[in-house]
Amino acid sequence: MDVAIAVGAPKGDLDSLALDGARFCVEMARRSFGGPPAGFWVFQRKPVRVPVPAEDMGRWVDEWFAKGDPVDVLRGERKRNAAERLVKRNKAFGPAGFALAPTLEAIIEATGELAGHTLAVIVLTSSPDDGTAIIATLKKAARYPVFWVFIGANWDHERVLHLGVLDTLGERPGDPKNVLILKTHGWGSGLGDWWRTRRIRKASARWRRRVPLG
């Protein structure tokens, strides 16, 4: 089963919460689904595709997302990492809100030529603001062999992160069935990683049995 991963950057950069989510998704793809992800995107208003991680996850994070030495940051001398250079060149991040639908479209387009089923895992640390477009895109995507997992992550143990229109899926007739919503307070817990992975594997396996190919 191919795995596509996207990580949202609602404030225009990937903070530690989003980076930890990226690490979880890549390791899950490698350990539970047989290899590195088929595609990896970061997004705010529109998606920017990032090269898929190699075997050395730590080196990949340092190359693409490291924030630099703390002294360099304090002195204003920190160099842009590879992801920052890429999104600046693409003018993808800015003050104009946080949209998810363009990333869903990009994943559909990129995985349309793959031979098998696709698991698309999207990490969100804030609620996207293009709800109408999200619902329309997910309904359109229901005819493709893609299973969507949205993971809402925050640090606040007193409050669950609300994901806006995503939290309403399943409440109306005609809502897509190929969607799983998970919520997490931070990352890094072995038990938490196991629970998330188990939920994703079981839900995607049930869906895959209902959606044969060919």
Side-chain angles (χ1 to χ4, degrees):
M1 191 172 186
D2 295 300
V3 179
I5 297 169
V7 181
K11 296 181 180 179
D13 65 358
L14 290 175
D15 59 18
S16 61
L17 188 63
L19 283 180
D20 287 344
R23 290 188 182 94
F24 163 76
C25 292
V26 171
E27 291 302 323
M28 180 191 65
R30 185 172 290 133
R31 294 176 182 177
S32 297
F33 294 94
F40 191 106
W41 290 260
V42 295
F43 67 96
Q44 183 192 24
R45 291 172 297 170
K46 64 180 183 177
V48 176
R49 194 162 186 174
V50 172
V52 172
E55 289 300 317
D56 189 339
M57 182 66 178
R59 182 175 180 180
W60 176 79
V61 170
D62 287 343
E63 177 184 356
W64 280 92
F65 302 111
K67 294 298 184 181
D69 183 276
V71 175
D72 291 340
V73 174
L74 287 172
R75 293 169 62 94
E77 298 172 354
R78 182 179 73 84
K79 296 180 180 179
R80 292 182 181 274
N81 58 40
E84 289 172 328
R85 293 194 297 271
L86 183 62
V87 298
K88 183 180 181 183
R89 187 164 66 246
N90 283 272
K91 298 181 180 179
F93 290 177
F98 183 44
L100 174 58
T103 297
L104 304 182
E105 295 277 5
I107 292 173
I108 293 168
E109 181 179 356
T111 59
E113 298 179 358
L114 297 176
H117 296 88
T118 296
L119 173 70
V121 187
I122 300 172
V123 176
L124 299 163
T125 59
S126 181
S127 171
D129 54 23
D130 57 337
T132 301
I134 291 169
I135 294 296
T137 305
L138 286 175
K139 287 184 176 181
K140 181 181 72 173
R143 66 179 184 267
Y144 297 96
V146 180
F147 187 79
W148 303 93
V149 177
F150 299 97
I151 305 179
N154 69 354
W155 293 121
D156 189 347
H157 286 262
E158 302 299 323
R159 299 174 59 190
V160 174
L161 177 66
H162 295 292
L163 294 179
V165 72
L166 295 172
D167 287 336
T168 74
L169 290 175
E171 295 184 358
R172 300 283 178 87
D175 278 359
K177 306 296 184 184
N178 56 334
V179 175
L180 174 66
I181 308 293
L182 298 177
K183 306 292 181 71
T184 183
H185 296 294
W187 307 87
S189 163
L191 181 60
D193 286 351
W194 173 85
W195 177 83
R196 282 185 289 272
T197 301
R198 184 172 183 269
R199 287 283 309 277
I200 292 169
R201 290 185 63 175
K202 291 185 67 174
S204 61
R206 287 194 301 269
W207 163 81
R208 188 164 45 176
R209 288 193 294 269
R210 297 196 306 268
V211 185
L213 297 175

